[in-house]
Amino acid sequence: MNTERFAAQFPQMQWDAATSSWIVPHQSLLEIALFLKTDPEFRMDLLSNVAGVDWLSSKEKVRGEDGKPVERERPGYLEVVYHFYSVSAKQGPIVLRCRTDGRATPILPSITPLYRSAEFQEREIYDLYGIVFSGHPDLRRILMWDEFEDFPMRKDYVSPDDYEWEPTPHDDVLERARQHRREEERRRA
Amino acid sequence: MDDWLKSELQRAGVFVTTLEWVYNQSRRSSVWPLQFGLACCAIEMIATAAARYDLARFGAEVFRPTPRQADLMIVAGTVTKKMAPQVVRIYNQMPEPKYVIAMGACAISGGPFKQGYNVLKGIDRFIPVDVHIPGCPPRPEALLNALMFLQRKIDRQTLGAAQPLRWYDPMDRAEFPVPACGAHDLVPTHTRAIWKPEASPRPLT
Amino acid sequence: MFGLELLRGLAVTARNLIGSYFSGDRMVTVQYPEAARPTPENFRNFPFLVYDERPEELRCVACKICEKECPPQCIYIEQRRDEKGRPIKQPEVFDIDLAVCMSCAICVEVCPFDAIKMDHQFDHPTDNRFSGLLADKWKLARSNQYYHSIRPAEAAEVDARLAAEAAKKAKPAK
Amino acid sequence: MLDLGGANAADGEILDAPLYGPRSYRVFGDDALAKHFLEISMGPHHPSTHGVFRMDVVLDGETVVRLKPVFGYLHRNHEKLAETMSWLAAIPYTDRLDYFCSMTNNWAYVLAVEKLAGIAVPERAEYIRVIVGELTRLVNHICLAGFLLADLGALGTPLLYAFREREKILDIFEEISGARMMCNYMRFGGVRVDLSPEALQKIHRIAERFPFFLDEFEALVSRNEILLSRCQGVGVLPRHLAVNAGVTGPMLRASGVDYDLRKVDRYGIYDRFEFRVPLGEHGDVYDRYMVRILEMRESVAILRQALAQIPEKGEIMNPQAKLRNLRPKPGEIYSRIESPKGELGFYLISDGGPCPYRYRVRPPSFINLTVLEDMCLGQKIADVIVIFGSVDIVLGEVDR
């Protein structure tokens, strides 16, 4: 595979060496996927895996204006990773990652019109991470029930408090059981 | 009638028995389970019904697809919160007398998945369970064992007025409220009438 | 031909019926509980704690590695303390919630003292899911002889290793 | 009708389905629904759904005009739980993903972690992995055949025969790993327990006797007229759609696409074995059934070769591999194997901590269900059960 040609075709992509993947701006995701799918050299006809990832905001050290390291808040974002393989040319993978702007209103384009295999996986990511895929034909919750409101796979999700009886609690489970007990007492009082 | 008189009569060729014994004997020998599997344990349940372990030796091989014809519900596998209302609904549809075996760690307490957000921490929060059989999954022999335990339990049932059985009480419909799927969790998270946890062996405060 | 497949199917069934009297490959029903299928040595179901001489002196030193590594967190350990509050290498409380245990044997793998092993017993039907399935250290304690009786090869290996370690420890003291 | 290991039918052509078709998303007005159509909900407790699966089916008479699968009744938070526990503790949870094939699930996960942390696997352990992996394939395919026939109405006999063969293999699993279903057998850098000579002897016996059993099984059903008329031409999955929808495993091969990860990726030591990849021609239910039967024969062939080649003695665990406190360097990996149901992938992100930062399972049967509606549209309601049975799903993996 001649990835240089691929890189030259789409200068808006960014190569991430640590994860060997291309970071793609979400405006051009469909364009790039269509190229990968139809180009006679790549022939990436199988979109194998679509995975959501949640990156919380974190502190990072950067060099400030005066040359001294400054700690800066790196805003969190949600990310979708696509793994493309080629069935007809038996090659791959090509990994694309697409990031949302922030975690508050995450919207990404849906790749389902090009690859049917993304249909349920995008629904799952919508269900568990809350990323809205514009252009998806049938975007509903898939694993949780329809009335559910949270996005449980996000890193800041707080699971419901249903600890009634825990015979062998320790560590964080013990802490949650205690919290449950305090809550009960508060409610009773 | 005591045992001595019974054996004396038997010697004379007169066999006596109690109505209770006949009742219990016929009930215990035809416990028809519901054909109802949830997860991994269901496969072991099928293996128990298959030729090598042969549930038919205990009169329980007739897996009924409809709850209306079943006596026994083997809750075989993880009950998720999305599935819990359905399980309660199926249980409500079963006619009395009905029994429940909680098979495997997940059905008893949520098991290995109990820390998950979508896993019910034990089916006994919503329906009464007669036999718990731990294991992940229990071996088919263990399920047979649970069935024998249940049969012994049926043997001890009495028709007399001293301890009336639940299903002879006209006021007790044995129908339990079906939980609703709420915004964050099931509503309610358990049925107060059934779920009576013991005190935790360890102080939490 | 119409009906031929029916005959062919019946022939297979007949072959199985007759063959089951001659060949072990056509398995016959195990008449549990009268006859049980033998459990292989490696069989694992629920954990137990090994003691050498007296049940009060478990091999367990309450290091809490298994508690930390147990995937479903079904082990609870408290260390024993003497009158002055100093820790003793013995568990005061060692509880395993059999209602949660997934029989994965990770506690056995990570235990550096060969104190916790997997049992062959698999039938614990009960109608009390709370105290009926919470095994404390008295319920869990089993003698080394019992361990030898269910897993002879593995227990002999463990004993040899423990003896070698003890000998190594004794030498520098001399 | 089936060609064995022939030339790749897809060579030199781009496998591309037409863009998202409007056919499967016909929208009905409410009044049309009330007048002509019957909407029924099959499941989650339905005797022929394999587990707790639900299909919302809209019928025109007996013909299916719309079918929406509903998932999540066995969503056990596998991914979330694995992100809160150590790398080692996730192995027993992978057993419970696809509970027929715990060995291959283990393999997929440990292979991903081994690639991520750079752990080598000794020779003998690789052979043991291939052996137990192929035994797992036998278990899965034979049970699937039994369940599919039970769905077709052959209620007792084939399923009982299938479970008898399963018991034999499960006895071996129990002997080597300690548990019948949840083997928890593989570790990073090898396997947990060595194969004893007696166990090898038993596996020899399986490899010898299994084809005889298969012949018998096929004599019982494979050419049965009822089976043929209910399976042939039912639930056809065209090749282009199969690839576009990410269908993998025997389902893809039944549609005539030569794509077997054991041949393509050659993970483990699969390059040392000679075997053929059975391909279907029509992509209907019968092809999917036959592809699995033929795959079992190929698995037996691999078993024989592996048993002949396996070194007499040798290490089964890489002594450098750590079990506790494994902390792979920050990075990510997507690793996939050919599980009996299709491409089982694990996508792991490590941030250098004691537990995975992101743990994602690419479940084959979940994605294979994408095409369920396309296969069922226009078919009769009775065929839906058969088509669904031929997809070969396990809900533990679909919902995780």
Side-chain angles (χ1 to χ4, degrees), chain B residues 44 52 80 82 112 117 139, chain D residues 71 73 75 93 174 180:
Chain B
E44 285 297 70
R52 196 176 189 192
T80 58
K82 192 170 179 179
Y117 50 87
R139 266 164 63 116
Chain D
F71 305 90
Y73 290 99
H75 178 46
Y93 282 90
E174 192 174 28
R180 283 159 51 84

Side-chain angles (χ1 to χ4, degrees), chain A residues 47-59:
Chain A
L47 172 58
S48 171
N49 182 36
V50 185
V53 191
D54 181 11
W55 297 98
L56 290 172
S57 60
S58 61
K59 295 262 172 21

Side-chain angles (χ1 to χ4, degrees), chain B residues 72-73 99-103 108 128-134 142-143 145-151 153, chain C residues 124-128:
Chain B
L72 168 68
M73 182 164 158
Y99 311 100
V100 176
I101 291 180
M103 179 185 184
I108 299 173
V129 178
D130 294 282
V131 186
H132 302 269
I133 174 77
L143 181 60
N145 224 315
L147 190 70
M148 290 190 285
F149 189 90
L150 181 71
Q151 288 181 332
K153 215 170 161 173
Chain C
H124 302 266
T126 172
D127 44 9
N128 183 349

Side-chain angles (χ1 to χ4, degrees), chain B residues 49 124 144 163 179:
Chain B
D124 55 346
L144 293 178
Q163 275 176 313

Side-chain angles (χ1 to χ4, degrees), chain B residues 35-36 38 40 43-44 46 50 52-53 65 78 80 82-83 86 90 112-113 116-119 136-137 139, chain D residues 44-45 47 52 71-77 81 93 96 99-100 160 163 166-167 171 174 180-182:
Chain B
Q35 186 179 351
F36 172 63
L38 289 168
C40 334
I43 308 300
E44 285 297 70
I46 297 168
R52 196 176 189 192
Y53 302 97
T78 319
T80 58
K82 192 170 179 179
M83 190 63 196
Q86 270 71 269
I90 291 168
F113 298 96
Y117 50 87
N118 191 28
V119 177
C136 192
R139 266 164 63 116
Chain D
H45 164 232
V52 280
F71 305 90
Y73 290 99
L74 196 59
H75 178 46
R76 303 195 273 199
N77 332 122
L81 284 175
Y93 282 90
R96 285 144 182 90
Y99 32 79
F100 274 112
L160 292 183
F163 264 71
R166 175 179 180 263
E167 286 289 337
D171 275 355
E174 192 174 28
R180 283 159 51 84
M181 280 172 74
M182 306 306 174

Side-chain angles (χ1 to χ4, degrees), chain D residues 259-273:
Chain D
Y259 195 66
D260 187 325
L261 296 184
R262 291 176 291 177
K263 288 270 192 206
V264 176
D265 280 7
R266 295 177 178 269
Y267 60 92
I269 50 164
Y270 270 113
D271 46 354
R272 299 185 197 174
F273 304 115

